[in-house]
Structure formats: C-alpha cells, structure tokens
Amino acid sequence: MSKFRILFLAIIVARAPLGLVCNAAGLADLSYDASGASVIITGCETSAAGELVIPSSIEGKSVTAIGPSAFFGCHGLTSVDTGPSVTSIGSLAFFGNQGIKSVKLGTAVKTIETRAFNSCSGLTTVTLNQGLETIEASAFERSAKIERVTIPSSVTNVGKNSFRYCSELQYIHIEGDAPTLGENAFDSIHIFATITIPPGNPAFPESVSGIPVFIRAGNLSYSARGETASVVDCDETATGQQEILLTINGKAVTSIDRNAFDSCSLVTGISIPDSIDTIGFRAFGNCSSLKTIRIPDAVSLIGDEAFANCQNLESVDFGTGVTRIGNSAFEGSGLKTVSVPNTVTNIGNSTFASSNNLTSATIGNSVTFLGNSCFSFCTNLTEVTLGSRISRIGFRSFEECHQLTSVFFLGNAPGSVRSDIFSSLQGDVTVYALPEASR
C-alpha cells in the first residue's frame, strides 16, 4: 500500500506544469468593465492571494486601466505587476493593502493617481517604469517600508505628499531633469535620506525638504556645494576598480567625505585624482577587498580610521604632502610593510594597530611622537626603524607584538621610556642606536 502511495505522488508531481506559481491570483479573482473599447479592472475578490499579474487583454480587448479602489481590502496579495497594457492606476486602487510587498509597473503606465498605494504597510520594493509621467498627490504616502525609489527621466510631476511619511525611504534617485516636486513630496522620510541626480543637471537645488541632493556618476555620489565638490558615497554593491572624477559639473573634486566608501567590501581598487586634498574620517573603512592605494600629493591629512579594517590592503603610497596620519587610520589593515615619509610630523593613536600581516615599519625623520598603541597587536611585526627626531613613544605602542626582535633609533633615544611600551612580548627585543646618538 505504501509503495502505491509513493508512486501515485510521483505521477502527480510529474504532471504539474512547468513554471507553476503556487498561490497566484488570476483572472477569476478580478472584476472588470469591458463595455468600452478597452477594459478597466474594477475590483478583486478579497480572498485573492499571492502574486498578481494584470492580464494584457480580456475578451479580446486591451486592459488599459486599474479603476479607483479596485483592490481595496485584498490583503492576501503579495506582489503586483501591472502588465504591458495598463496606462493608469486609479485613485485609492491599492489603498491600505497590508500584504503587498512589491509593485512593478508595466511599460505603458503613464499616471499613478491620488493615494493609489497610500498606506501599503508591507510594501518594500517599487519599480517605476520609463514612460511614467505623473505621480499624483499622496500616491505612496505612509507606505513606511519603502527603502529606495528611482524616479524615471520621463516623470515630469511628483505630486504633493507623494512619499510623505515613508519613514524607511533612504535612497531616492531622480534620473532626468528636475521634475516638478509638489509640497512635502519627500517630507518626514528617513533621517539619513539622500536624493541623487545625474551629472549636468543644474535645475536642482542643493536640498529638498532638508534632504541633501547629490550628483550620481556611476557608483559614486558627489556633493557640489560652493566652489568645489566632494565624494560623499559609494554604492555598497560596487565591485572592482572605481575611479573618482577629477571634476563634476565643472567643479574640482577636492575631498573624500567621512564614510564615503565605508563597507564597500567588493571594491578592489580606487583611483584618486590629484585634485583631492582631504581624506575624511573612515572614508575607506571596511573596504575589505581593497588591495593598494595611492595618496595624492595634495593630501596633508589622512583622517581618523580612514582605512580601518581594510583587511586586504597590502600597500600604500603616501605621496609627498601628508603631514598627519590620524588615529586608527590603518588599524586592522593588511599592510605588509610601512614606510612613513619624512613629510609626516604626527602619527595618531592606534594608527597601525592589529595589522597582523605587518612585518616591518619605518618612521620618517620628521615624526617626534609615536602615538599610544600605534603598533599594538601587530603580531608578526619583527623590525621597526624610528626616525631621527623621535623624542617620545606613547604607552603600549608595541604591546603584544610577539615577533618583535629589533628596534632601530636613527637619532637620540627618547629621554624616558615607559615600561609598558613593549608589554606582553614573547622574546627579547634588541634596541639599536647610532654610535654618536645620546642615550
């Protein structure tokens, strides 16, 4: 008996048609008006559930509209694709629908009417079509879980309150020239929301409802306020080599802002133009695939944590202008050797700490103070050369550097050396100084 049951089940599975979508709503769930030249969807069974694709035709006529309140109360629907023929989505069409998670507009849609997707509390993904012209007032208002939206270049009007109270909406990209934005179109959205626009678009203000407007070129976003521009963000999905532009909208790109490339873990290389003079706090933090970096000669300060946790960063070219390296700038990096140039006068705390691949380090002749914990927990560091002007070494500078055996002073040894500088080492350390140096 059990064998028969197993065989019977196998036959049923084999006969299931390929591409079957379980829990899909269909034509049988829809009400419509086919009295005119085209069909209007007017209603839906409240029991309808799952994915819904609006058919392109019914009774031989094109389906061109979704009527007002057509899907009100259809909370079992999880996604909607308007299909290839619908041109308008009526007011309140999906109002208050709690189940819909994604909406994809077909290529023919030109208008989303008032409150069409208002208060859709589960909606996270919205795909708007090229060809869409108008998003009417409050169309997506209070659909709080929408995280990002791209406004196609065909859109000429975004009505008032269109995305108001979409509290998770953080990324807004507007592809074309500035559409007319109604009052409070993006009011009360995510506290860190940004609007990005293409290069060469002078019509946009620097902010909308307090939301900063940035210029998007490739995977990078720029701020072009004042006389110069800065890099402010990199898409976390960016891969491979990235290039920072020399100019954007006619303005020189001179700085890389705080957190600009933070957590871009798939970026392997970044080309930094010579116009850059500032690298901000954690600018490249957690870029775990970054392998090499060249610092332009105009840069004088490498900000705190600028390259922290860049685990595969093997080498850095400091250029000729760097005078200060910030706290934890290369902490947790993959650097194998470090040669700090003579232009550098200040090295911060924990600058190279926990760089476990580091085997040797040379500090230039202009540095007077080595920051606290500067090389702590560099467990494979064997040799350090300290420049001629070093007069003080911070506490725990070489703590837990288990393989450290040699420290070379090119100048006078510091007047006082704390006992904890070389704490928790596993062997003896030999300190070398020039014959003419004072001790």
Side-chain angles (χ1 to χ4, degrees):
M1 185 62 134
S2 61
K3 291 182 180 179
F4 174 76
R5 286 178 179 171
I6 293 172
L7 179 61
F8 181 66
L9 176 62
I11 291 172
I12 290 175
V13 172
R15 289 174 61 85
L18 294 175
L20 177 66
V21 178
C22 297
N23 249 1
L27 180 59
D29 296 302
L30 303 179
S31 301
Y32 55 88
D33 179 359
S35 61
S38 60
V39 176
I40 301 172
I41 303 298
T42 58
C44 179
E45 295 291 335
T46 55
S47 60
E51 303 173 1
L52 172 65
V53 178
I54 303 296
S56 60
S57 63
I58 298 175
E59 297 181 9
K61 299 179 180 179
S62 292
V63 178
T64 58
I66 297 173
S69 304
F71 291 91
F72 181 79
C74 297
H75 299 302
L77 296 177
T78 58
S79 69
V80 173
D81 182 334
T82 65
S85 59
V86 170
T87 60
S88 66
I89 301 172
S91 61
L92 301 166
F94 296 90
F95 178 85
N97 190 299
Q98 300 171 10
I100 293 178
K101 294 179 173 59
S102 66
V103 169
K104 179 182 178 181
L105 302 191
T107 55
V109 175
K110 295 187 178 298
T111 304
I112 303 173
E113 295 184 3
T114 304
R115 294 190 171 91
F117 296 96
N118 189 296
S119 301
C120 291
S121 59
L123 184 58
T124 60
T125 304
V126 175
T127 305
L128 305 180
N129 61 301
Q130 183 64 35
L132 180 67
E133 296 175 355
T134 301
I135 302 172
E136 292 189 357
S138 302
F140 293 93
E141 185 179 8
R142 298 183 188 276
S143 293
K145 291 185 178 179
I146 299 173
E147 297 179 357
R148 60 178 66 225
V149 65
T150 296
I151 309 296
S153 60
S154 56
V155 173
T156 58
N157 181 64
V158 179
K160 69 178 183 179
N161 302 328
S162 292
F163 294 91
R164 193 180 192 188
Y165 300 122
C166 292
S167 57
E168 295 300 313
L169 182 55
Q170 189 170 356
Y171 305 102
I172 303 158
H173 181 58
I174 299 177
E175 291 185 329
D177 295 335
T180 300
L181 299 180
E183 183 181 4
N184 298 322
F186 296 105
D187 186 51
S188 299
I189 60 174
H190 196 284
I191 188 172
F192 296 120
T194 59
I195 296 173
T196 56
I197 59 175
N201 190 338
F204 263 93
E206 292 182 352
S207 66
V208 173
S209 296
I211 304 168
V213 175
F214 299 138
I215 303 163
R216 184 70 176 268
N219 290 310
L220 306 185
S221 296
Y222 301 80
S223 173
R225 299 184 180 126
E227 298 301 317
T228 60
S230 60
V231 185
V232 295
D233 186 59
C234 176
D235 192 318
E236 289 187 2
T237 64
T239 61
Q241 181 76 21
Q242 300 297 313
E243 182 176 357
I244 297 174
L245 297 179
L246 182 67
T247 62
I248 189 88
N249 284 9
K251 298 180 179 181
V253 180
T254 60
S255 65
I256 302 171
D257 279 8
R258 60 187 294 128
N259 302 314
F261 289 84
D262 189 19
S263 299
C264 290
S265 59
L266 301 177
V267 172
T268 58
I270 299 167
S271 178
I272 304 177
D274 291 336
S275 58
I276 295 293
D277 59 25
T278 302
I279 297 177
F281 171 82
R282 213 173 181 79
F284 300 96
N286 298 302
C287 288
S288 55
S289 297
L290 187 63
K291 295 180 179 179
T292 63
I293 201 75
R294 184 191 71 87
I295 309 297
D297 292 343
V299 173
S300 60
L301 168 64
I302 298 175
D304 294 350
E305 301 182 31
F307 296 92
N309 299 318
C310 292
Q311 300 166 359
N312 286 297
L313 181 62
E314 296 181 352
S315 64
V316 56
D317 178 349
F318 285 100
T320 62
V322 175
T323 60
R324 180 182 172 190
I325 305 174
N327 298 330
S328 301
F330 294 91
E331 184 173 1
S333 74
L335 292 175
K336 295 181 177 180
T337 62
V338 168
S339 181
V340 176
N342 290 331
T343 56
V344 175
T345 60
N346 187 293
I347 298 177
N349 300 328
S350 302
T351 299
F352 300 101
S354 300
S355 295
N356 292 327
N357 293 334
L358 190 63
T359 59
S360 67
T362 300
I363 306 301
N365 291 324
S366 297
V367 176
T368 59
F369 172 60
L370 201 63
N372 301 328
S373 302
C374 189
F375 290 96
S376 63
F377 296 92
C378 291
T379 54
N380 287 299
L381 182 65
T382 60
E383 180 180 299
V384 175
T385 300
L386 301 176
S388 59
R389 296 187 63 192
I390 286 284
S391 60
R392 191 159 62 96
I393 299 176
F395 68 89
R396 301 183 186 276
S397 289
F398 298 98
E399 180 184 19
E400 299 282 353
C401 293
H402 300 315
Q403 305 301 318
L404 185 61
T405 57
S406 304
V407 177
F408 295 86
F409 283 92
L410 300 184
N412 296 332
S416 62
V417 178
R418 294 174 56 102
S419 60
D420 60 10
I421 287 176
F422 298 104
S423 63
S424 302
L425 302 188
Q426 293 182 349
D428 295 331
V429 176
T430 303
V431 177
Y432 298 88
L434 297 175
E436 64 272 18
S438 64
R439 295 174 178 82

